[in-house]
Amino acid sequence: MRTRMLLAVATAATLTIAGCGQSPAPTETAGAVLAGLGAEHIKVGVAFDTGGRGDKSFNDAAGAGLDRAKKELEVEVNEASPQKDADEERVATLTKLVDGGNNPVIAVGFQYAAAVKQMASEHADTTFAIVDDDSIVADNVVSLVFAEEQGSYLVGAAAALKSRSNVIGYIGGVKFPLLEKFEAGFVAGAKRVNPKIEVKVRYLSAPPDFSGFGVPEKAEKVAADMMADKADVIYAAAGGSGAGALKAVAATSGATFVGVDTDQYESAEAEVKPVVLTSMLKRVDNAVFQEIQAFIKGDRAGGARRFDLKTEGVGYAVSNEPAIAPLQPKLELLRQQLYDGKIVAPTRP
């Protein structure tokens, strides 16, 4: 684990401050590293969550890290996605990647936990990494987890500073602890800058129903209902469902949207961009890239890695400069206080 920590520190030192949305400077290529180690050719397998690339959110963030690794680290990459939302399909997806000679194999999303646990016990020579789950204790499983509450704290402050009605909304995909971290940080950040702000909270589903990540029409209606009840800024942490919330915001005069995971201003259609104030950046791309980099340099040990403001694991997007620039002096002060530990964002509502 000492090697992994040194790699994280070295990588973090090359990063720009959280919120800028820029990639770190190019690193030593895998070709050069492997030549020195006399190591084998690296094939990386990534198992996306249901739906694969194209969600403009979680899967796409992981895909960006994989693309960067392919370019800068000169690794071969292979991708797969489950055909349906079921554990047996996730086992089949991981099996396909392992049988294809991929090592490491990275699973994108907590719903892979049962599948990764099973596969790791059956394939001790393969290193597995899983995003958003730290429940598996095994020598060949790496947990990639994030301080979502910190990034959400910053966009909560941005939403409250932007609001003119003193009412904002949070839409979560599924009501369970991971998404409640987003809620807790968002509400705390909003109330830090405006103690009188009202935050409306709705979830699209609750376990064992995880459909909330793929029901944009439901998110559209929830967002519309919130705005009809005075909310003028909507934060959606709901995977593919967020597109529905953005659609509702774009159709409502004076409303503003806060995205999640990736910079949704960059991926939005031109006519919609102006309503995207910012996005909570969850740098799954950095986590995926750093895990591949660590593996190449010989760190194959299991354990947990947490990505926060200090490692640019989270942040807020500044692409919509005219909208976010007036808020940045306050947001940067809060970011520094979070970074220094003077503010501790809550993880529970």
Side-chain angles (χ1 to χ4, degrees):
M1 287 306 293
R2 183 175 183 274
T3 304
R4 187 177 301 281
M5 292 301 296
L6 289 173
L7 285 167
V9 171
T11 303
T14 68
L15 300 178
T16 53
I17 63 170
C20 293
Q22 298 175 352
S23 295
T27 56
E28 186 177 14
T29 66
V33 173
L34 294 175
L37 295 176
E40 74 279 12
H41 174 62
I42 301 296
K43 295 173 66 176
V44 181
V46 170
F48 288 112
D49 203 356
T50 309
R53 292 198 194 228
D55 63 352
K56 299 182 179 180
S57 185
F58 195 65
N59 285 325
D60 282 353
L66 186 62
D67 292 342
R68 183 177 166 224
K70 180 179 180 181
K71 179 180 179 181
E72 295 184 22
L73 302 178
E74 300 176 6
V75 295
E76 179 182 339
V77 302
N78 296 283
E79 306 173 8
S81 300
Q83 296 302 304
K84 59 182 180 180
D85 187 11
D87 282 344
E88 61 268 23
E89 281 292 325
R90 293 187 173 88
V91 170
T93 300
L94 295 176
T95 299
K96 177 182 177 180
L97 292 171
V98 172
D99 289 349
N102 295 284
N103 190 16
V105 172
I106 302 172
V108 182
F110 67 91
Q111 292 194 81
Y112 273 101
V116 167
K117 184 176 183 179
Q118 175 183 328
M119 292 294 292
S121 67
E122 296 172 357
H123 301 275
D125 293 333
T126 299
T127 295
F128 294 86
I130 180 169
V131 178
D132 277 351
D133 179 84
D134 60 1
S135 67
I136 306 168
V137 180
D139 291 341
N140 60 332
V141 177
V142 181
S143 299
L144 307 176
V145 294
F146 297 80
E148 294 94 350
E149 71 280 3
Q150 291 182 342
S152 293
Y153 190 100
L154 293 173
V155 298
L161 291 169
K162 180 69 174 179
S163 177
R164 295 295 175 266
S165 66
N166 285 331
V167 182
I168 60 178
Y170 169 77
I171 300 174
V174 180
K175 186 176 175 59
F176 73 116
L178 176 62
L179 269 294
E180 289 178 330
K181 285 171 66 180
F182 289 79
E183 176 196 342
F186 182 73
V187 173
K191 290 188 176 295
R192 176 79 178 200
V193 299
N194 181 0
K196 296 182 179 180
I197 196 82
E198 178 185 351
V199 185
K200 297 182 178 299
V201 175
R202 287 280 302 277
Y203 286 90
L204 303 178
S205 70
D209 177 9
F210 285 88
S211 65
F213 294 119
V215 285
E217 67 286 347
K218 187 173 182 178
E220 181 179 1
K221 183 179 186 306
V222 169
D225 289 345
M226 285 182 170
M227 290 182 292
D229 197 21
K230 298 184 179 180
D232 59 354
V233 184
I234 303 294
Y235 176 37
S241 297
L246 175 56
K247 182 179 179 181
V249 170
T252 305
S253 177
T256 300
F257 181 76
V258 175
V260 76
D261 294 339
T262 60
D263 185 349
Q264 294 189 260
Y265 175 86
E266 293 289 351
S267 61
E269 299 294 333
E271 63 272 17
V272 176
K273 285 181 182 290
V275 305
V276 182
L277 172 64
T278 185
S279 298
M280 195 286 275
L281 299 177
K282 181 173 175 177
R283 299 303 300 270
V284 180
D285 55 336
N286 284 347
V288 167
F289 180 87
Q290 289 182 36
E291 176 53 32
I292 296 169
Q293 188 179 56
F295 182 91
I296 289 170
K297 292 190 175 183
D299 186 359
R300 317 276 170 102
R305 294 178 64 190
R306 183 173 184 265
F307 296 85
D308 57 14
L309 284 173
K310 292 186 176 181
T311 57
E312 200 173 330
V314 295
Y316 68 97
V318 297
S319 298
N320 189 353
E321 186 175 357
I324 198 68
L327 312 182
Q328 277 191 270
K330 181 64 174 178
L331 297 180
E332 283 302 298
L333 177 61
L334 293 173
R335 187 194 69 79
Q336 190 62 50
Q337 291 175 324
L338 286 164
Y339 186 98
D340 293 337
K342 294 179 180 179
I343 294 174
V344 178
T347 58
R348 295 183 179 180

